[in-house]
């Protein structure tokens, strides 16, 4: 029987397909992600409580390592480039940029007329000094590995020219890294103890571990940004205390909502939970140089032995999406949608064990809540589903203190947290390229390395996409990392706060830019 | 009196020795912890070259004893060095404000807890085995048995979410005393609940112990009122054990309240100590540890002086 309501050309199957697509979009973009917003309003005091921050925080960009200083930095500073809410690159202190044909020389035009809070004009010399702060033999900067490929920096009038040791089509993305703010320089050096910057807010007082107080920069060059008059940032480490502060109205914004109690927060009428699916992901990484992980069949067996949806539902309380054993998130440009999603399949796992010549497998998995919140629980859940495939995972609870120096990249099988990177190349070169400092699986794949360096200097979009999809597929099927889940950035705001329609997914707090992009309702 | 003065001088000298030993132990203990400042500050982002560069810059590549002697040489001149994490910021500058906050909270809690504990203890001794005694005892015991953060959450749930007091003890710089007392009421109340039981039960036990002495019986036989017997005759002789317990609890209020600081976001020394240990920021750890040790030494000294003064047998022994 024909359906008289539907016009020709629309079939039942087509409608179902459309509905599924809509449903899938709904999964990726939860309702709270998009919220109709009025025109930004000027004024007010935005009080932000962060789940990070401690008495050791300081103003030196080389040491920034937690979300508190990262948001604070993006509030008082500007960078060469800015990652927009849709994941594309926007100009900031660099007005425009262009690459040589081999993508190994990059020329940035520095915006004219931008001033630091101290009144000085931003010059190309300041840009060079700000980047050089992280380079060189004596650099103790956490950003040293990402600026190491720069072999030379030249100034030509209002232009700054970077020469790289090899082509990198994503170089302007790297210049948006939170470690690389543009700061005022004298004699070619920046003062790492100074809070002077060219961002939307001026630092009034900063007491590490207690409070940062910033006021609006009256000379800020960006129109329609930096809406509130004052920003107060507090570190509140205790999740319950942070939530209480929001409920009792002591603060307006909190990050790192405790996922065990998020449903209680959602019931509060004056509070809105903001959940953004980003590039942050949790992994179980195997040392591919150590038996039994040298055999890809063993690694595949483990990949088929994890119940991803269960981990997302329990460890993340649903605030996340399943991973497909590669580190590229759905918000990345070249996310490989076409790869089949890997599911729990004890039969397949058993088959791969047999291929490896094993009847059963005994491995120890090191986990700690330092790796990511709920890592030990996730490891226990993993061991339970793996038991169905004849894999016996012995979960070792490691101390949180010193986890990154004594467990990660030391023990053969560990739980790890990755903040993700805005570009595919950045993520792969950081943790999957042979010899990379943080290649935590000690993975070495010839074709992958070759594709990676080819794609880096490839400027043709379609060709690049093809290569990155290939690489995702290689990491998925032959890599040394189980990537069961991508965790959303979960924040909560009271009804005093209004946000734009789109919220950046590259980092927490709207890509660290919440104080600049959000406003008081 | 010279005896007391000599005792104070002796104890202070011993105290200095204690501080020296404490500094040696703390330095050695942080040395035994896995990792150092360079690794801790870089965390997941550490590479061998950057770790080496930071060590070179801060002199962490020097052997253990050279770094300790360097530190000690500065410390005897009251220069506690500068923090590793806040390059160039003197440790004293980081600590002073927080020390003030810690002392403020400790005094605030003590001002509520000590009179309350003494009063309840005396009353419980006076009316021992009565309903009052039992209720006081069991409620004080339950308050001390709950973990601090649980007591804190209960208070927040009732008093902060009810809108009576702020859940965060954050002080605006301009806060006057009244505002400060109001804002830090909940942490002070939490600490009061936690420390009262110990002092109260010691007061009660010490007094009850004396009530069976012959001189108390004599006082009763004279027809003296029970309250007068306790306050005038039993209490002065019970001072020594009570003062000792009070001193221990005051020292605890200064050194052991990091959980309460975290829950109420109160910027005290405990949080600084925990952060510095996890970052291996040894100059700060050392300085805070010395303050904590000094608090114990001084409070114990005070307790001893008061017990000696309260006991003529100790004052005039030959």
């Amino acid at each position: 029987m024909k359906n008289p309501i539907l016009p020709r050309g629309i079939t039942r199957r087509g409608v179902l397909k459309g509905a599924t697509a809509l449903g899938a979009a709904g999964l990726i973009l939860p309702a709270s992600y998009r919220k109709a917003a009025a025109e930004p309003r000027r004024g007010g005091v935005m009080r932000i409580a962060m789940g990070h921050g401690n008495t050791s925080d300081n103003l030196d960009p080389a040491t920034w390592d937690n979300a508190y200083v990262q948001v604070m930095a993006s509030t008082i500073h500007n960078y060469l480039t800015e990652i927009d809410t849709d994941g594309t690159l926007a100009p900031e202190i660099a007005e425009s940029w262009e690459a040589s044909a081999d993508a190994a020389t990059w020329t940035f035009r520095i915006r004219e007329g931008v001033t630091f809070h101290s009144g000085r004009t931003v010059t190309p010399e300041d840009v060079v000094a700000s980047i050089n702060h992280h380079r060189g033999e004596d650099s103790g900067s956490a950003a040293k590995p990402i600026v190491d490929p720069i072999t030379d920096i030249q100034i030509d009038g209002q232009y700054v020219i970077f020469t790289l040791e090899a082509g990198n089509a994503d170089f302007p993305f790297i210049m948006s890294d939170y470690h690389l703010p543009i700061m005022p320089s004298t004699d070619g050096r920046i003062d790492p103890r100074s809070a002077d910057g060219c961002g939307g807010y001026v630092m009034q007082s900063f007491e590490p571990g207690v409070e940062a107080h910033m006021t609006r920069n009256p000379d800020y060059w960006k129109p329609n940004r930096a809406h509130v008059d004052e920003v107060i940032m507090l570190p509140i480490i205790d999740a319950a205390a942070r939530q209480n502060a929001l409920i009792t109205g002591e603060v307006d914004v909190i990050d790192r909502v405790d996922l065990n109690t998020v449903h209680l927060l959602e019931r509060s009428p004056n509070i809105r939970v903001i959940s953004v699916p980003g590039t942050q992901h949790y992994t179980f990484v195997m040392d591919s140089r150590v038996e039994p992980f040298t055999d890809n069949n063993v690694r595949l067996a483990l990949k088929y032995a994890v119940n991803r949806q269960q981990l997302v539902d329990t460890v993340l309380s649903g605030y996340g999406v399943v991973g497909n054993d590669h580190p590229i998130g759905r918000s990345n440009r070249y996310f490989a949608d076409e790869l089949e999603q890997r599911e729990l399949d004890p039969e397949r796992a058993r088959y791969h064990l047999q291929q490896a010549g094993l009847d059963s497998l005994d491995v120890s998995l090191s986990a700690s809540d330092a790796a990511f919140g709920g890592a030990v629980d996730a490891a226990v859940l993993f061991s339970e589903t793996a038991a169905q495939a004849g894999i016996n995972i012995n979960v070792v609870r490691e101390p949180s203190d010193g986890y990154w120096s004594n467990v990660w990249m030391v023990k053969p099988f560990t739980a790890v947290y990755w903040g993700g990177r805005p570009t595919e190349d950045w993520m792969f070169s950081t943790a999957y390229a042979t010899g990379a400092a943080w290649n935590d699986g000690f993975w070495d794949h010839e074709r992958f390395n070759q594709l990676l360096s080819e794609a880096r200097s490839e400027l043709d979009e379609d060709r690049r996409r093809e290569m990155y999809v290939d690489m995702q597929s290689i990491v998925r099927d032959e890599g040394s990392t189980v990537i069961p889940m991508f965790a959303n950035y979960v924040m909560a705001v009271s009804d005093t706060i209004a946000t734009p329609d789109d919220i950046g997914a590259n980092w927490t707090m709207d890509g660290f830019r919440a104080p600049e992009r959000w406003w008081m309702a | 009196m010279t005896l007391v003065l000599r005792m104070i001088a002796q104890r202070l000298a011993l105290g200095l020795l204690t501080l020296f030993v404490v500094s040696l132990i703390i330095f050695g203990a942080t040395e035994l912890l896995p990792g150092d400042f360079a690794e801790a500050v870089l965390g997941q982002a550490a590479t061998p070259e950057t770790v080496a560069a930071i060590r070179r810059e801060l002199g962490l590549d020097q052997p253990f004893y050279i770094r300790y002697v360097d530190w000690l040489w500065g410390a005897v001149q009251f220069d506690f060095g500068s923090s590793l994490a806040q390059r160039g910021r003197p440790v004293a500058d980081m600590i002073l404000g927080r020390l003030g906050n810690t002392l403020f909270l400790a005094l605030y809690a003590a001002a509520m807890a000590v009179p309350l504990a003494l009063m309840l203890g005396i009353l419980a001794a006076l009316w021992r085995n009565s309903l009052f005694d039992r209720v006081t005892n069991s409620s004080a015991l339950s308050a001390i048995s709950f973990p601090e953060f649980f007591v804190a959450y209960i208070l927040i749930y009732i008093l902060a979410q009810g809108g009576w007091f702020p859940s965060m003890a954050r002080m605006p710089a301009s806060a006057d005393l009244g505002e400060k007392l109001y804002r830090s009421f909940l942490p002070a109340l939490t600490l009061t609940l936690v420390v009262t039981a110990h002092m109260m039960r010691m007061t009660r036990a010490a007094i009850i112990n004396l009530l069976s002495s012959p001189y108390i019986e004599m006082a009763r036989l004279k027809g003296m009122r029970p309250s007068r017997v306790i306050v005038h005759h039993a209490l002065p002789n019970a001072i020594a054990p009570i003062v000792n317990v009070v001193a221990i609890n005051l020292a605890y209020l200064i050194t052991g309240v990091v959980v309460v600081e975290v829950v109420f976001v109160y910027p005290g020394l405990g949080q600084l100590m925990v952060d510095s240990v996890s970052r291996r920021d040894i100059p700060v750890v050392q300085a805070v540890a010395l303050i904590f040790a000094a608090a114990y030494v001084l409070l114990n000294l005070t307790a001893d002086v008061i017990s000696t003064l309260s006991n003529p047998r100790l004052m005039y022994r030959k």
Side-chain angles (χ1 to χ4, degrees), chain A residues 54-58 65 138-141 193 208 210-211 234 236 238 240-241 244 250 401 406 408 417 437-438, chain B residues 34 41 44-47 50 53-54 56 85-87 89 98 153 156 161 166-168 170 263 272 275 279-280:
Chain A
N54 57 57
T55 51
S56 321
D57 292 338
N58 64 58
D65 65 338
D138 288 331
S139 159
S141 169
R193 286 179 210 157
V210 182
E211 184 182 295
L234 312 167
I236 305 186
D238 184 59
N244 261 316
E250 300 259 337
D401 193 48
N406 306 316
W408 182 60
Y417 146 87
W438 304 312
Chain B
V41 75
Q44 198 186 9
T47 62
T50 48
I54 291 184
R56 253 197 327 273
Q86 320 269 337
R87 311 269 160 93
R89 186 170 175 198
R98 287 177 175 259
Y153 285 155
I156 287 181
Q161 297 204 357
S167 71
M168 272 174 20
R170 193 172 70 83
V263 171
L272 181 67
D275 283 350
R279 284 302 173 94
R280 314 280 187 266

Side-chain angles (χ1 to χ4, degrees), chain B residues 215-237:
Chain B
Y215 79 96
I216 295 287
E217 205 172 341
M218 186 62 218
R220 280 212 188 111
L221 288 175
K222 283 198 301 188
M224 207 178 260
R225 273 180 298 119
S227 56
R228 196 174 156 76
V229 170
I230 286 185
V231 174
H232 279 250
H233 294 276
L235 192 58
N237 281 312

